[in-house]
Amino acid sequence: MQSVHVVIIGGGYGGIRAMEHLAHHSQISITLIDKNPYHYMQAEVYDFIANKVDMSSVMIDLPSLCKSFGLVEFVCEEVSGIDTQNSTVSTTAQTIPYDYLIIATGSRTYFPDFIKGLRQHSHGVKSIPAALDFKQQFERSLLNRIEAQTQGCDVKPFNIVIGGAGLSGVEIAAEMAAYANHFYANGNFGCRGVDVYLIDAYETILFGMDPYLIESAHQRLVQLGVHVWHNNRIGEVRENQIILDSGKVLDFEFMIFTGGIAASTLTQHLGFETNGKGHLIVDANLNIPMHENIYAIGDITQAITEEGKFIPPTAQLAERGGEHVARNILRSLKGKAKHPFTYKNQGVMIALGGEYGAGLLPGGIKVKGYAAYLIKKAIFWLYSAPLRRRSNIGKRR
């Protein structure tokens, strides 16, 4: 097998998984490029913003992780372009050659331009800084509300609005409601006044998912006191006020928007074909069409099943994509034909506030409550613990 250099852009779930599968081959050297020096485990962000864990619990140090593999170099710079003719990647400081390239820069919160004021007056949680900003501002507002009780309980409503009732929206709504309930009960504060509103554009939350998950999640949200508004679309967002297409007006202290994702802004500068939200179009092998040595995986791509159905972007999908392109690169180096990418969902686990969850496991096994919570925590541990062990090895080198 010839010696080759693989460049991976993006240290998210897919990029890390591809690196793990390629780094054990001595003929392959790897450069991992990311503008941040950490791997952000975004799937656990609800625990962070609800104060269950600290910031270090949702981060892995990328320089240490890369050092642990030996033939992996980490470059903490932002990619500015790709020269496919010369097979190079340009960053803000250098040009890096590649034999194979994997693009895995993930996604960002999609703020539709047709919703006036949405981008200016709502939060996303797709990055550590955004999640940290929301967390700190939320806690400051809770303190301000407690201090306002010097004038009695006649204080203004404290509403948190979550726009979008997909997986992220439901998990965040449940966790924020559980956190608020615990906060007031634990401190014995008499003036309870935090309300969480989940704005759902469809007739049901988790639209398109299994009915068991929909029903379990809805029951839990009701139990936590979340106000779920179905069939409501956001028409306009003003400072501390949301206006729905139905004419309803709701004041809020904070708004988190989870109603959609767009590909990272890198795709705008590459010249490759994209869809309306900037997701890269890939072929059956996860290659960029007409570029046999360039792959794209995870949230940055438009993933489609063999039946032509859209596959929702998840950490699981990104990981499977990373494993697949690594295998295809190894097959190419051995002169073997590539295999097309097929995706089989290995189950879904949803965090629903406090020590409660719901999920579907392989084989159609249904689980909810504390058992589901423990299973979800175990899945996270099985993912994060090996990375932390490797990072610790790299730190000592």
mmCIF file with all atom_site columns, all heavy atoms in Angstrom, residues 133-151:
data_model
loop_
_atom_site.group_PDB
_atom_site.id
_atom_site.type_symbol
_atom_site.label_atom_id
_atom_site.label_alt_id
_atom_site.label_comp_id
_atom_site.label_asym_id
_atom_site.label_entity_id
_atom_site.label_seq_id
_atom_site.pdbx_PDB_ins_code
_atom_site.Cartn_x
_atom_site.Cartn_y
_atom_site.Cartn_z
_atom_site.occupancy
_atom_site.B_iso_or_equiv
_atom_site.pdbx_formal_charge
_atom_site.auth_seq_id
_atom_site.auth_comp_id
_atom_site.auth_asym_id
_atom_site.auth_atom_id
_atom_site.pdbx_PDB_model_num
ATOM 1   N N   . ASP A 1 133 ? -23.225 31.718 26.085 1.00 0.00 ? 133 ASP A N   1
ATOM 2   C CA  . ASP A 1 133 ? -23.893 33.017 26.176 1.00 0.00 ? 133 ASP A CA  1
ATOM 3   C C   . ASP A 1 133 ? -25.316 32.858 26.686 1.00 0.00 ? 133 ASP A C   1
ATOM 4   O O   . ASP A 1 133 ? -25.769 33.594 27.573 1.00 0.00 ? 133 ASP A O   1
ATOM 5   C CB  . ASP A 1 133 ? -23.915 33.709 24.812 1.00 0.00 ? 133 ASP A CB  1
ATOM 6   C CG  . ASP A 1 133 ? -22.566 34.284 24.432 1.00 0.00 ? 133 ASP A CG  1
ATOM 7   O OD1 . ASP A 1 133 ? -21.690 34.358 25.310 1.00 0.00 ? 133 ASP A OD1 1
ATOM 8   O OD2 . ASP A 1 133 ? -22.389 34.649 23.254 1.00 0.00 ? 133 ASP A OD2 1
ATOM 9   N N   . PHE A 1 134 ? -26.043 31.897 26.127 1.00 0.00 ? 134 PHE A N   1
ATOM 10  C CA  . PHE A 1 134 ? -27.421 31.680 26.567 1.00 0.00 ? 134 PHE A CA  1
ATOM 11  C C   . PHE A 1 134 ? -27.456 31.270 28.039 1.00 0.00 ? 134 PHE A C   1
ATOM 12  O O   . PHE A 1 134 ? -28.249 31.785 28.832 1.00 0.00 ? 134 PHE A O   1
ATOM 13  C CB  . PHE A 1 134 ? -28.100 30.605 25.724 1.00 0.00 ? 134 PHE A CB  1
ATOM 14  C CG  . PHE A 1 134 ? -29.422 30.186 26.287 1.00 0.00 ? 134 PHE A CG  1
ATOM 15  C CD1 . PHE A 1 134 ? -30.542 30.992 26.142 1.00 0.00 ? 134 PHE A CD1 1
ATOM 16  C CD2 . PHE A 1 134 ? -29.543 29.007 26.996 1.00 0.00 ? 134 PHE A CD2 1
ATOM 17  C CE1 . PHE A 1 134 ? -31.756 30.630 26.692 1.00 0.00 ? 134 PHE A CE1 1
ATOM 18  C CE2 . PHE A 1 134 ? -30.754 28.628 27.553 1.00 0.00 ? 134 PHE A CE2 1
ATOM 19  C CZ  . PHE A 1 134 ? -31.869 29.438 27.395 1.00 0.00 ? 134 PHE A CZ  1
ATOM 20  N N   . LYS A 1 135 ? -26.613 30.331 28.417 1.00 0.00 ? 135 LYS A N   1
ATOM 21  C CA  . LYS A 1 135 ? -26.571 29.828 29.788 1.00 0.00 ? 135 LYS A CA  1
ATOM 22  C C   . LYS A 1 135 ? -26.319 30.952 30.782 1.00 0.00 ? 135 LYS A C   1
ATOM 23  O O   . LYS A 1 135 ? -27.015 31.083 31.803 1.00 0.00 ? 135 LYS A O   1
ATOM 24  C CB  . LYS A 1 135 ? -25.480 28.761 29.885 1.00 0.00 ? 135 LYS A CB  1
ATOM 25  C CG  . LYS A 1 135 ? -25.256 28.147 31.250 1.00 0.00 ? 135 LYS A CG  1
ATOM 26  C CD  . LYS A 1 135 ? -24.158 27.109 31.131 1.00 0.00 ? 135 LYS A CD  1
ATOM 27  C CE  . LYS A 1 135 ? -23.734 26.457 32.402 1.00 0.00 ? 135 LYS A CE  1
ATOM 28  N NZ  . LYS A 1 135 ? -23.614 27.212 33.574 1.00 0.00 ? 135 LYS A NZ  1
ATOM 29  N N   . GLN A 1 136 ? -25.324 31.791 30.501 1.00 0.00 ? 136 GLN A N   1
ATOM 30  C CA  . GLN A 1 136 ? -24.976 32.873 31.423 1.00 0.00 ? 136 GLN A CA  1
ATOM 31  C C   . GLN A 1 136 ? -26.081 33.927 31.505 1.00 0.00 ? 136 GLN A C   1
ATOM 32  O O   . GLN A 1 136 ? -26.418 34.405 32.592 1.00 0.00 ? 136 GLN A O   1
ATOM 33  C CB  . GLN A 1 136 ? -23.653 33.511 30.994 1.00 0.00 ? 136 GLN A CB  1
ATOM 34  C CG  . GLN A 1 136 ? -22.465 32.580 31.179 1.00 0.00 ? 136 GLN A CG  1
ATOM 35  C CD  . GLN A 1 136 ? -21.171 33.172 30.660 1.00 0.00 ? 136 GLN A CD  1
ATOM 36  O OE1 . GLN A 1 136 ? -21.166 34.024 29.767 1.00 0.00 ? 136 GLN A OE1 1
ATOM 37  N NE2 . GLN A 1 136 ? -20.049 32.724 31.193 1.00 0.00 ? 136 GLN A NE2 1
ATOM 38  N N   . GLN A 1 137 ? -26.662 34.279 30.354 1.00 0.00 ? 137 GLN A N   1
ATOM 39  C CA  . GLN A 1 137 ? -27.726 35.272 30.358 1.00 0.00 ? 137 GLN A CA  1
ATOM 40  C C   . GLN A 1 137 ? -28.977 34.741 31.053 1.00 0.00 ? 137 GLN A C   1
ATOM 41  O O   . GLN A 1 137 ? -29.677 35.481 31.748 1.00 0.00 ? 137 GLN A O   1
ATOM 42  C CB  . GLN A 1 137 ? -28.051 35.695 28.927 1.00 0.00 ? 137 GLN A CB  1
ATOM 43  C CG  . GLN A 1 137 ? -26.950 36.504 28.266 1.00 0.00 ? 137 GLN A CG  1
ATOM 44  C CD  . GLN A 1 137 ? -27.309 36.913 26.849 1.00 0.00 ? 137 GLN A CD  1
ATOM 45  O OE1 . GLN A 1 137 ? -28.425 37.335 26.583 1.00 0.00 ? 137 GLN A OE1 1
ATOM 46  N NE2 . GLN A 1 137 ? -26.371 36.772 25.938 1.00 0.00 ? 137 GLN A NE2 1
ATOM 47  N N   . PHE A 1 138 ? -29.257 33.469 30.883 1.00 0.00 ? 138 PHE A N   1
ATOM 48  C CA  . PHE A 1 138 ? -30.406 32.857 31.542 1.00 0.00 ? 138 PHE A CA  1
ATOM 49  C C   . PHE A 1 138 ? -30.244 32.895 33.058 1.00 0.00 ? 138 PHE A C   1
ATOM 50  O O   . PHE A 1 138 ? -31.172 33.269 33.798 1.00 0.00 ? 138 PHE A O   1
ATOM 51  C CB  . PHE A 1 138 ? -30.564 31.418 31.053 1.00 0.00 ? 138 PHE A CB  1
ATOM 52  C CG  . PHE A 1 138 ? -31.616 30.640 31.794 1.00 0.00 ? 138 PHE A CG  1
ATOM 53  C CD1 . PHE A 1 138 ? -32.958 31.004 31.704 1.00 0.00 ? 138 PHE A CD1 1
ATOM 54  C CD2 . PHE A 1 138 ? -31.270 29.550 32.575 1.00 0.00 ? 138 PHE A CD2 1
ATOM 55  C CE1 . PHE A 1 138 ? -33.931 30.294 32.388 1.00 0.00 ? 138 PHE A CE1 1
ATOM 56  C CE2 . PHE A 1 138 ? -32.237 28.838 33.260 1.00 0.00 ? 138 PHE A CE2 1
ATOM 57  C CZ  . PHE A 1 138 ? -33.569 29.203 33.163 1.00 0.00 ? 138 PHE A CZ  1
ATOM 58  N N   . GLU A 1 139 ? -29.060 32.520 33.546 1.00 0.00 ? 139 GLU A N   1
ATOM 59  C CA  . GLU A 1 139 ? -28.836 32.516 34.988 1.00 0.00 ? 139 GLU A CA  1
ATOM 60  C C   . GLU A 1 139 ? -28.867 33.932 35.565 1.00 0.00 ? 139 GLU A C   1
ATOM 61  O O   . GLU A 1 139 ? -29.384 34.145 36.670 1.00 0.00 ? 139 GLU A O   1
ATOM 62  C CB  . GLU A 1 139 ? -27.505 31.829 35.295 1.00 0.00 ? 139 GLU A CB  1
ATOM 63  C CG  . GLU A 1 139 ? -27.536 30.334 35.004 1.00 0.00 ? 139 GLU A CG  1
ATOM 64  C CD  . GLU A 1 139 ? -26.183 29.668 35.149 1.00 0.00 ? 139 GLU A CD  1
ATOM 65  O OE1 . GLU A 1 139 ? -25.162 30.396 35.174 1.00 0.00 ? 139 GLU A OE1 1
ATOM 66  O OE2 . GLU A 1 139 ? -26.158 28.435 35.237 1.00 0.00 ? 139 GLU A OE2 1
ATOM 67  N N   . ARG A 1 140 ? -28.341 34.894 34.838 1.00 0.00 ? 140 ARG A N   1
ATOM 68  C CA  . ARG A 1 140 ? -28.398 36.281 35.292 1.00 0.00 ? 140 ARG A CA  1
ATOM 69  C C   . ARG A 1 140 ? -29.843 36.755 35.395 1.00 0.00 ? 140 ARG A C   1
ATOM 70  O O   . ARG A 1 140 ? -30.226 37.429 36.356 1.00 0.00 ? 140 ARG A O   1
ATOM 71  C CB  . ARG A 1 140 ? -27.598 37.169 34.347 1.00 0.00 ? 140 ARG A CB  1
ATOM 72  C CG  . ARG A 1 140 ? -27.791 38.676 34.530 1.00 0.00 ? 140 ARG A CG  1
ATOM 73  C CD  . ARG A 1 140 ? -27.517 39.148 35.945 1.00 0.00 ? 140 ARG A CD  1
ATOM 74  N NE  . ARG A 1 140 ? -26.131 38.956 36.337 1.00 0.00 ? 140 ARG A NE  1
ATOM 75  C CZ  . ARG A 1 140 ? -25.666 39.286 37.547 1.00 0.00 ? 140 ARG A CZ  1
ATOM 76  N NH1 . ARG A 1 140 ? -26.485 39.783 38.468 1.00 0.00 ? 140 ARG A NH1 1
ATOM 77  N NH2 . ARG A 1 140 ? -24.394 39.076 37.836 1.00 0.00 ? 140 ARG A NH2 1
ATOM 78  N N   . SER A 1 141 ? -30.655 36.371 34.427 1.00 0.00 ? 141 SER A N   1
ATOM 79  C CA  . SER A 1 141 ? -32.056 36.779 34.459 1.00 0.00 ? 141 SER A CA  1
ATOM 80  C C   . SER A 1 141 ? -32.818 36.114 35.594 1.00 0.00 ? 141 SER A C   1
ATOM 81  O O   . SER A 1 141 ? -33.717 36.710 36.190 1.00 0.00 ? 141 SER A O   1
ATOM 82  C CB  . SER A 1 141 ? -32.737 36.458 33.122 1.00 0.00 ? 141 SER A CB  1
ATOM 83  O OG  . SER A 1 141 ? -32.227 37.295 32.114 1.00 0.00 ? 141 SER A OG  1
ATOM 84  N N   . LEU A 1 142 ? -32.469 34.861 35.911 1.00 0.00 ? 142 LEU A N   1
ATOM 85  C CA  . LEU A 1 142 ? -33.082 34.213 37.067 1.00 0.00 ? 142 LEU A CA  1
ATOM 86  C C   . LEU A 1 142 ? -32.761 34.973 38.352 1.00 0.00 ? 142 LEU A C   1
ATOM 87  O O   . LEU A 1 142 ? -33.636 35.196 39.195 1.00 0.00 ? 142 LEU A O   1
ATOM 88  C CB  . LEU A 1 142 ? -32.580 32.774 37.189 1.00 0.00 ? 142 LEU A CB  1
ATOM 89  C CG  . LEU A 1 142 ? -33.256 31.700 36.335 1.00 0.00 ? 142 LEU A CG  1
ATOM 90  C CD1 . LEU A 1 142 ? -32.599 30.348 36.584 1.00 0.00 ? 142 LEU A CD1 1
ATOM 91  C CD2 . LEU A 1 142 ? -34.744 31.619 36.627 1.00 0.00 ? 142 LEU A CD2 1
ATOM 92  N N   . LEU A 1 143 ? -31.499 35.382 38.489 1.00 0.00 ? 143 LEU A N   1
ATOM 93  C CA  . LEU A 1 143 ? -31.106 36.153 39.667 1.00 0.00 ? 143 LEU A CA  1
ATOM 94  C C   . LEU A 1 143 ? -31.854 37.473 39.718 1.00 0.00 ? 143 LEU A C   1
ATOM 95  O O   . LEU A 1 143 ? -32.344 37.884 40.789 1.00 0.00 ? 143 LEU A O   1
ATOM 96  C CB  . LEU A 1 143 ? -29.598 36.396 39.659 1.00 0.00 ? 143 LEU A CB  1
ATOM 97  C CG  . LEU A 1 143 ? -29.052 37.270 40.799 1.00 0.00 ? 143 LEU A CG  1
ATOM 98  C CD1 . LEU A 1 143 ? -29.352 36.644 42.151 1.00 0.00 ? 143 LEU A CD1 1
ATOM 99  C CD2 . LEU A 1 143 ? -27.552 37.490 40.621 1.00 0.00 ? 143 LEU A CD2 1
ATOM 100 N N   . ASN A 1 144 ? -31.950 38.161 38.575 1.00 0.00 ? 144 ASN A N   1
ATOM 101 C CA  . ASN A 1 144 ? -32.680 39.432 38.544 1.00 0.00 ? 144 ASN A CA  1
ATOM 102 C C   . ASN A 1 144 ? -34.132 39.240 38.969 1.00 0.00 ? 144 ASN A C   1
ATOM 103 O O   . ASN A 1 144 ? -34.719 40.086 39.652 1.00 0.00 ? 144 ASN A O   1
ATOM 104 C CB  . ASN A 1 144 ? -32.628 40.031 37.138 1.00 0.00 ? 144 ASN A CB  1
ATOM 105 C CG  . ASN A 1 144 ? -31.237 40.495 36.753 1.00 0.00 ? 144 ASN A CG  1
ATOM 106 O OD1 . ASN A 1 144 ? -30.372 40.661 37.612 1.00 0.00 ? 144 ASN A OD1 1
ATOM 107 N ND2 . ASN A 1 144 ? -31.003 40.683 35.471 1.00 0.00 ? 144 ASN A ND2 1
ATOM 108 N N   . ARG A 1 145 ? -34.702 38.118 38.575 1.00 0.00 ? 145 ARG A N   1
ATOM 109 C CA  . ARG A 1 145 ? -36.096 37.866 38.920 1.00 0.00 ? 145 ARG A CA  1
ATOM 110 C C   . ARG A 1 145 ? -36.251 37.624 40.426 1.00 0.00 ? 145 ARG A C   1
ATOM 111 O O   . ARG A 1 145 ? -37.196 38.099 41.044 1.00 0.00 ? 145 ARG A O   1
ATOM 112 C CB  . ARG A 1 145 ? -36.627 36.660 38.135 1.00 0.00 ? 145 ARG A CB  1
ATOM 113 C CG  . ARG A 1 145 ? -38.105 36.436 38.383 1.00 0.00 ? 145 ARG A CG  1
ATOM 114 C CD  . ARG A 1 145 ? -38.672 35.352 37.487 1.00 0.00 ? 145 ARG A CD  1
ATOM 115 N NE  . ARG A 1 145 ? -40.083 35.184 37.763 1.00 0.00 ? 145 ARG A NE  1
ATOM 116 C CZ  . ARG A 1 145 ? -41.039 35.963 37.291 1.00 0.00 ? 145 ARG A CZ  1
ATOM 117 N NH1 . ARG A 1 145 ? -40.729 36.968 36.496 1.00 0.00 ? 145 ARG A NH1 1
ATOM 118 N NH2 . ARG A 1 145 ? -42.305 35.760 37.604 1.00 0.00 ? 145 ARG A NH2 1
ATOM 119 N N   . ILE A 1 146 ? -35.313 36.870 40.996 1.00 0.00 ? 146 ILE A N   1
ATOM 120 C CA  . ILE A 1 146 ? -35.368 36.630 42.434 1.00 0.00 ? 146 ILE A CA  1
ATOM 121 C C   . ILE A 1 146 ? -35.221 37.943 43.202 1.00 0.00 ? 146 ILE A C   1
ATOM 122 O O   . ILE A 1 146 ? -35.933 38.214 44.171 1.00 0.00 ? 146 ILE A O   1
ATOM 123 C CB  . ILE A 1 146 ? -34.265 35.640 42.860 1.00 0.00 ? 146 ILE A CB  1
ATOM 124 C CG1 . ILE A 1 146 ? -34.492 34.278 42.188 1.00 0.00 ? 146 ILE A CG1 1
ATOM 125 C CG2 . ILE A 1 146 ? -34.229 35.487 44.373 1.00 0.00 ? 146 ILE A CG2 1
ATOM 126 C CD1 . ILE A 1 146 ? -35.834 33.654 42.470 1.00 0.00 ? 146 ILE A CD1 1
ATOM 127 N N   . GLU A 1 147 ? -34.286 38.787 42.732 1.00 0.00 ? 147 GLU A N   1
ATOM 128 C CA  . GLU A 1 147 ? -34.084 40.073 43.403 1.00 0.00 ? 147 GLU A CA  1
ATOM 129 C C   . GLU A 1 147 ? -35.303 40.976 43.289 1.00 0.00 ? 147 GLU A C   1
ATOM 130 O O   . GLU A 1 147 ? -35.583 41.790 44.167 1.00 0.00 ? 147 GLU A O   1
ATOM 131 C CB  . GLU A 1 147 ? -32.852 40.764 42.818 1.00 0.00 ? 147 GLU A CB  1
ATOM 132 C CG  . GLU A 1 147 ? -31.543 40.056 43.187 1.00 0.00 ? 147 GLU A CG  1
ATOM 133 C CD  . GLU A 1 147 ? -30.334 40.711 42.546 1.00 0.00 ? 147 GLU A CD  1
ATOM 134 O OE1 . GLU A 1 147 ? -30.522 41.438 41.537 1.00 0.00 ? 147 GLU A OE1 1
ATOM 135 O OE2 . GLU A 1 147 ? -29.209 40.484 43.040 1.00 0.00 ? 147 GLU A OE2 1
ATOM 136 N N   . ALA A 1 148 ? -36.061 40.829 42.216 1.00 0.00 ? 148 ALA A N   1
ATOM 137 C CA  . ALA A 1 148 ? -37.266 41.644 42.019 1.00 0.00 ? 148 ALA A CA  1
ATOM 138 C C   . ALA A 1 148 ? -38.366 41.280 42.997 1.00 0.00 ? 148 ALA A C   1
ATOM 139 O O   . ALA A 1 148 ? -39.344 42.023 43.140 1.00 0.00 ? 148 ALA A O   1
ATOM 140 C CB  . ALA A 1 148 ? -37.774 41.495 40.588 1.00 0.00 ? 148 ALA A CB  1
ATOM 141 N N   . GLN A 1 149 ? -38.235 40.167 43.699 1.00 0.00 ? 149 GLN A N   1
ATOM 142 C CA  . GLN A 1 149 ? -39.261 39.748 44.648 1.00 0.00 ? 149 GLN A CA  1
ATOM 143 C C   . GLN A 1 149 ? -39.296 40.623 45.897 1.00 0.00 ? 149 GLN A C   1
ATOM 144 O O   . GLN A 1 149 ? -40.156 40.433 46.749 1.00 0.00 ? 149 GLN A O   1
ATOM 145 C CB  . GLN A 1 149 ? -39.042 38.277 45.040 1.00 0.00 ? 149 GLN A CB  1
ATOM 146 C CG  . GLN A 1 149 ? -39.297 37.316 43.896 1.00 0.00 ? 149 GLN A CG  1
ATOM 147 C CD  . GLN A 1 149 ? -39.088 35.858 44.281 1.00 0.00 ? 149 GLN A CD  1
ATOM 148 O OE1 . GLN A 1 149 ? -39.245 34.978 43.470 1.00 0.00 ? 149 GLN A OE1 1
ATOM 149 N NE2 . GLN A 1 149 ? -38.728 35.602 45.527 1.00 0.00 ? 149 GLN A NE2 1
ATOM 150 N N   . THR A 1 150 ? -38.366 41.560 46.012 1.00 0.00 ? 150 THR A N   1
ATOM 151 C CA  . THR A 1 150 ? -38.437 42.508 47.136 1.00 0.00 ? 150 THR A CA  1
ATOM 152 C C   . THR A 1 150 ? -39.722 43.314 47.068 1.00 0.00 ? 150 THR A C   1
ATOM 153 O O   . THR A 1 150 ? -40.175 43.861 48.070 1.00 0.00 ? 150 THR A O   1
ATOM 154 C CB  . THR A 1 150 ? -37.233 43.466 47.104 1.00 0.00 ? 150 THR A CB  1
ATOM 155 O OG1 . THR A 1 150 ? -37.201 44.148 45.831 1.00 0.00 ? 150 THR A OG1 1
ATOM 156 C CG2 . THR A 1 150 ? -35.928 42.697 47.310 1.00 0.00 ? 150 THR A CG2 1
ATOM 157 N N   . GLN A 1 151 ? -40.314 43.359 45.884 1.00 0.00 ? 151 GLN A N   1
ATOM 158 C CA  . GLN A 1 151 ? -41.565 44.088 45.701 1.00 0.00 ? 151 GLN A CA  1
ATOM 159 C C   . GLN A 1 151 ? -42.758 43.134 45.676 1.00 0.00 ? 151 GLN A C   1
ATOM 160 O O   . GLN A 1 151 ? -43.845 43.478 45.219 1.00 0.00 ? 151 GLN A O   1
ATOM 161 C CB  . GLN A 1 151 ? -41.509 44.875 44.391 1.00 0.00 ? 151 GLN A CB  1
ATOM 162 C CG  . GLN A 1 151 ? -40.341 45.850 44.323 1.00 0.00 ? 151 GLN A CG  1
ATOM 163 C CD  . GLN A 1 151 ? -40.172 46.453 42.929 1.00 0.00 ? 151 GLN A CD  1
ATOM 164 O OE1 . GLN A 1 151 ? -41.009 46.257 42.060 1.00 0.00 ? 151 GLN A OE1 1
ATOM 165 N NE2 . GLN A 1 151 ? -39.091 47.199 42.759 1.00 0.00 ? 151 GLN A NE2 1
#
